[in-house]
Amino acid sequence: MEVGEEFGPWLSRQLKLAGKTQAELADELGLTRAAVSAWITKRSVPRPTVMGEIAKALGTDLGTVHTRTTDTQAGLPITWYHRPGYQDGGRDGGNAAAFAFDADVQVLARETCQNSLDERLVENGRPVRVRYTIHELTGEKLDAFRAAVLWDDLQPHYSAVSESAADQKVGRVVDAGVRDMFEKGRLILLRIDDYNASGLTGDDYGDGKFAAVVRRQLESLKSGRGAGGSYGLGKATLWATSALGMVLINSTLSVPHEGRTERRVIGRLELPWRSVDGNSYAGPAWLGRPDPETPGAEVVRSWWADEETLKRLHLTRDGDEPGTSFLIVGAHDVASLEQGKADSVDEDENGSNDGTRDIRAMHRRLVEALGRDFWAAMTGGGNRLPLLETTVCAMRNDEVVIDEVKVDPLDKQPARARALRAFYEGTTVDRLTEAGQVALRTVPLRLPVSGGRRGTLGTHPGVLLVTDAEGDDVPNQVHSLRGNRMTIKKSGIAGLPLGVNPFQAVLLVGHAAGESAPFAEEAEEFLRAAEPPEHDRWGQSEELTLRWSHTAHHRIARLTTEVNAAVKDLVVRPRGARSQESAKLRKKLTVPQKSAAPKRASGRTVPELDGLDAEIGAGGEWRITAEVKLPRAEELPAMTPVVLLDVRSGSRPRLDWAELVAVEGCEVEGGVLRFTPGVRRAVFQGSTDATSHPVRTELTRLVLELRAGTGSEA
């Protein structure tokens, strides 16, 4: 049960909301003004017999006065406040911070989950739970929601924006969003709920998390030195994802405000400058209760909503666990069009679904992004719990369309999650000798001294984990992460020789390497400063230059060099240490000598095979990796790789390719290799079609040739 606010501050606010003075209340109660003043200043409390009279004077019930967990209904009604235009004639074409992001639910997932991780309540050791709900409204449900957000009051402002849409990017987006809602009779709500988080604490106007989200732009509140910067530039993704520029908020606080913690509600609207009925408006607007302490009670502030209001606004939360719900009104996903994956069957009757408001595509892309970027935060092991749990579901008019899916890191990133779990459980090894093992190496990050001074503050031992790949998206990559365990950097390893078994590597630095790791706090702070607002790499940044030096990023480059060397040491087998089985297999491979080269085009130098590695796949196919030496020439002819079976007599049977892909220095078009101008080396891979093999693969020897042109026989 909620703890009620102290009587004095609560009564003071109710008088302001009701427009009453202390003297007027005293007259209604038949008491002196001094008696009322004593209540408000907390020097005394009214007698129980007076409580009923106070309730009558405030137009509420006795229970509300006793519990004081809500405001009375005597206050001014909930309304929209639109910031007036600038007196100097200045105009804003929209929120500049939102221009840093496109409407992309995958970017939204990255930014909002990072904020939730930074705001996780760490004292209880539990993960922060983040739920994404995509909800399509149509018909009466849509009408009811528009009434709840006071759409009739907003209509003139949206009409004014639409009239100037041709001149403004934001105006064009908003105009399209409004037209879609009315012409197609639908509205997409995308809600993000987090639990076991701090909530939007603090005053409506003073410093705090509430003001950082609702009132201010580009203000970043950090819960720790290595935090990503909660609600800084990234919060703009919420409004960027709304085609209507509208986000509603309901927060349950971890620290009471005005004696309360539950159902703190406000809305913010981001529109460009506009003129309505002869009055100019700067841009943003807020949905809330008028603040009687502001001139003319025009400015609104958050209010403590009742359950019925939350239900009508689609903001009801589960239980009283601290955290915040953000409701994006008119969500759209323009970035989905770039992938060409709008494959939902839920087209409207005219077949005109443009893909940006496809709830099935949004659901899939959210699950994909969460598994890709936050697999490490969702992985636990040993005595370490995950930091994060995420779920995604889709609904239409309160009916479930896609059941809630819990994102499983072992399903999305099996090899990397296995590696991290082995680290937590202490089951790593020094070298990889068997399938499924996880090797561990430490790599040094030499931290510079701040302030531009020369020298090294200390060496932080990063943790490098390497294991064999297992169905992850792209093999032979290093995923780097720090304390919040969000994947920051993804990189390949240059210069790997042919024949390396596919692997995955994970680099843990800062707090991710362990709270007790030397200089973990300093490494966390240093790497955070090396991240751009997108949090997708480490390198030179303005903050790094200002706080350390213009060469500080060289320390990160040296770390990368150490990581690459350690990975190669673990995955590259010495030439003399190949197994007997590998030696037998290599005897089955043949690269034609120059004397046996195929016919060449007259007057031109042609590429030549320079190396070949292969293995027999589970389906009996040959899996080949080949290296091509390219001569110096302005133009190289196209070449066709031809795979043959070596026989003692007669013509060599030609096998079909099941797959042929370029790896480096070339492209594959219709089974033909076309080489990149200026490079001296190319690599391609292929798999044969086992059904084209005349005999069992184990009984054959392989010959690979490069033939000019389409590779047909002369």
Side-chain angles (χ1 to χ4, degrees):
M1 182 177 179
E2 284 189 80
V3 178
E5 189 176 356
E6 289 187 80
F7 185 80
W10 179 85
L11 179 60
S12 176
R13 188 171 67 258
Q14 307 317 308
L15 290 177
K16 292 175 183 176
L17 292 172
K20 290 179 182 286
T21 65
Q22 295 181 27
E24 289 172 340
L25 177 62
D27 288 343
E28 291 185 46
L29 299 178
L31 300 172
T32 65
R33 181 184 178 283
V36 176
S37 176
W39 300 339
I40 289 176
T41 57
K42 299 189 285 188
R43 289 182 286 113
S44 67
V45 294
R47 299 187 305 273
T49 55
V50 180
M51 287 290 197
E53 297 301 317
I54 294 174
K56 184 184 298 183
L58 295 177
T60 189
D61 59 277
L62 182 59
T64 298
V65 178
H66 276 298
T67 59
R68 300 182 299 281
T69 58
T70 185
D71 290 328
T72 68
Q73 298 304 308
L76 298 171
I78 303 303
T79 187
W80 284 98
Y81 162 72
H82 300 264
R83 178 178 286 168
Y86 304 123
Q87 293 184 357
D88 62 2
R91 297 184 181 184
D92 293 333
N95 180 359
F99 281 85
F101 303 95
D102 291 324
D104 186 338
V105 297
Q106 296 199 331
V107 174
L108 175 79
R110 186 174 177 86
E111 294 295 332
T112 53
C113 255
Q114 179 202 283
N115 283 340
S116 295
L117 279 167
D118 287 343
E119 294 306 310
R120 182 176 71 95
L121 298 178
V122 299
E123 295 81 5
N124 58 32
R126 298 199 305 269
V128 60
R129 296 182 292 112
V130 184
R131 175 193 297 159
Y132 294 82
T133 304
I134 311 154
H135 195 171
E136 182 176 12
L137 300 181
T138 62
E140 294 180 357
K141 297 286 186 180
L142 174 55
D143 294 339
F145 179 77
R146 280 200 294 251
V149 298
L150 308 179
W151 181 263
D152 289 345
D153 296 342
L154 293 175
Q155 183 66 52
H157 293 267
Y158 278 106
S159 296
V161 172
S162 295
E163 290 173 3
S164 60
D167 303 322
Q168 300 172 338
K169 173 185 174 182
V170 176
R172 290 191 292 271
V173 172
V174 169
D175 179 60
V178 173
R179 284 190 291 104
D180 184 89
M181 177 173 62
F182 282 99
E183 292 175 5
K184 298 184 179 179
R186 66 180 181 189
L187 183 69
I188 306 299
L189 307 179
L190 175 52
R191 196 170 113 179
I192 304 110
D193 306 301
D194 65 22
Y195 295 88
N196 193 42
S198 64
L200 298 185
T201 57
D203 187 71
D204 269 71
Y205 312 111
D207 293 342
K209 293 168 184 173
F210 181 89
V213 173
V214 177
R215 301 288 183 190
R216 305 174 184 179
Q217 298 297 334
L218 300 180
E219 177 170 317
S220 179
L221 292 180
K222 297 176 173 63
S223 298
R225 295 168 70 188
S230 303
Y231 309 124
L233 179 64
K235 68 173 178 278
T237 60
L238 294 162
W239 283 269
T241 309
S242 169
L244 301 179
M246 185 189 302
V247 176
L248 307 180
I249 303 167
N250 173 24
S251 193
T252 300
L253 313 182
S254 58
V255 178
H257 175 64
E258 297 176 348
R260 301 198 55 187
T261 58
E262 291 186 58
R263 303 190 299 277
R264 187 182 193 181
V265 177
I266 198 164
R268 178 167 176 141
L269 180 65
E270 289 287 357
L271 294 178
W273 181 95
R274 58 204 176 274
S275 177
V276 178
D277 296 332
N279 298 314
S280 64
Y281 297 94
W286 290 265
L287 176 67
R289 172 159 286 164
D291 188 344
E293 295 185 359
T294 61
E298 291 184 350
V299 176
V300 301
R301 56 179 293 150
S302 61
W303 83 98
W304 304 101
D306 55 51
E307 294 289 356
E308 181 58 31
T309 298
L310 294 181
K311 183 177 179 180
R312 290 189 291 110
L313 292 174
H314 291 265
L315 281 173
T316 303
R317 287 175 58 83
D318 294 340
D320 58 359
E321 192 173 10
T324 303
S325 298
F326 294 96
L327 184 72
I328 299 171
V329 181
H332 64 151
D333 185 23
V334 175
S336 66
L337 299 181
E338 297 179 5
Q339 294 188 355
K341 291 183 177 179
D343 58 359
S344 171
V345 297
D346 292 335
E347 294 189 351
D348 55 47
E349 293 180 359
N350 299 321
S352 56
N353 192 342
D354 62 4
T356 66
R357 294 169 177 83
D358 184 332
I359 62 176
R360 292 185 182 274
M362 285 186 186
H363 184 282
R364 183 192 61 250
R365 280 172 41 79
L366 282 170
V367 171
E368 179 183 283
L370 293 168
R372 179 189 64 222
D373 294 333
F374 294 97
W375 62 268
M378 292 185 282
T379 299
N383 59 358
R384 298 185 65 167
L385 293 174
L387 299 181
L388 173 70
E389 293 178 0
T390 61
T391 58
V392 186
C393 71
M395 306 178 69
R396 181 177 292 112
N397 293 332
D398 297 326
E399 299 292 332
V400 174
V401 175
I402 304 177
D403 289 335
E404 190 168 59
V405 173
K406 182 175 181 180
V407 181
D408 184 355
L410 283 172
D411 177 53
K412 302 301 178 183
Q413 304 282 347
R416 298 181 185 113
R418 183 180 70 242
L420 189 57
R421 178 171 292 180
F423 172 63
Y424 292 155
E425 296 175 349
T427 58
T428 58
V429 297
D430 294 332
R431 298 207 69 90
L432 299 174
T433 59
E434 298 178 8
Q437 288 182 327
V438 177
L440 182 150
R441 290 287 177 87
T442 58
V443 289
L445 170 59
R446 296 174 178 85
L447 297 164
V449 180
S450 62
R453 293 172 292 169
R454 293 180 176 274
T456 297
L457 175 67
T459 300
H460 169 66
V463 173
L464 177 67
L465 306 171
V466 180
T467 189
D468 47 298
E470 181 192 333
D472 303 72
D473 46 6
V474 180
N476 302 351
Q477 279 202 329
V478 181
H479 276 215
S480 302
L481 38 135
R482 53 181 182 82
N484 63 8
R485 291 190 242 165
M486 177 177 75
T487 297
I488 301 295
K489 177 183 175 184
K490 303 171 189 174
S491 57
I493 304 294
L496 288 172
L498 296 173
V500 169
N501 289 330
F503 66 87
Q504 295 292 0
V506 179
L507 175 63
L508 309 175
V509 284
H511 290 153
E515 298 293 337
S516 61
F519 297 98
E521 184 75 18
E522 292 79 3
E524 191 78 21
E525 186 176 6
F526 176 72
L527 292 171
R528 170 63 189 90
E531 293 173 19
E534 297 83 3
H535 306 290
D536 60 358
R537 60 189 178 277
W538 289 319
Q540 181 66 288
S541 69
E542 184 176 10
E543 185 174 3
L544 202 66
T545 300
L546 293 174
R547 296 180 59 187
W548 280 272
S549 73
H550 68 281
T551 61
H553 66 285
H554 293 164
R555 304 295 181 112
I556 299 173
R558 290 175 196 146
L559 171 65
T560 301
T561 300
E562 296 279 0
V563 168
N564 290 351
V567 170
K568 289 178 181 178
D569 183 60
L570 287 170
V571 302
V572 177
R573 294 171 294 174
R575 288 187 178 274
R578 295 183 182 269
S579 67
Q580 184 177 2
E581 180 180 351
S582 296
K584 291 180 179 179
L585 186 59
R586 288 178 63 83
K587 291 179 180 179
K588 295 176 176 285
L589 309 179
T590 301
V591 177
Q593 301 300 313
K594 292 184 179 180
S595 59
K599 295 180 180 180
R600 301 179 179 179
S602 175
R604 289 196 296 178
T605 305
V606 297
E608 296 180 349
L609 284 170
D610 194 46
L612 178 64
D613 201 355
E615 63 180 358
I616 299 174
E621 76 281 9
W622 279 105
R623 300 174 62 184
I624 297 166
T625 300
E627 184 172 358
V628 183
K629 182 179 179 181
L630 303 176
R632 295 183 184 276
E634 293 184 0
E635 183 179 356
L636 294 172
M639 305 293 288
T640 298
V642 177
V643 61
L644 309 167
L645 291 184
D646 195 12
V647 294
R648 293 184 178 181
S649 62
S651 61
R652 292 170 172 170
R654 181 171 176 172
L655 305 183
D656 297 332
W657 291 109
E659 182 182 36
L660 193 63
V661 295
V663 176
E664 180 183 344
C666 61
E667 296 180 352
V668 175
E669 297 180 3
V672 178
L673 298 176
R674 302 188 185 278
F675 301 100
T676 305
V679 302
R680 299 299 308 279
R681 174 179 175 272
V683 178
F684 66 89
Q685 294 177 333
S687 299
T688 62
D689 182 354
T691 61
S692 68
H693 295 197
V695 295
R696 285 174 51 194
T697 308
E698 294 84 354
L699 304 178
T700 62
R701 289 168 54 87
L702 194 69
V703 177
L704 183 64
E705 296 180 357
L706 281 185
R707 296 179 180 175
T710 60
S712 58
E713 298 286 355

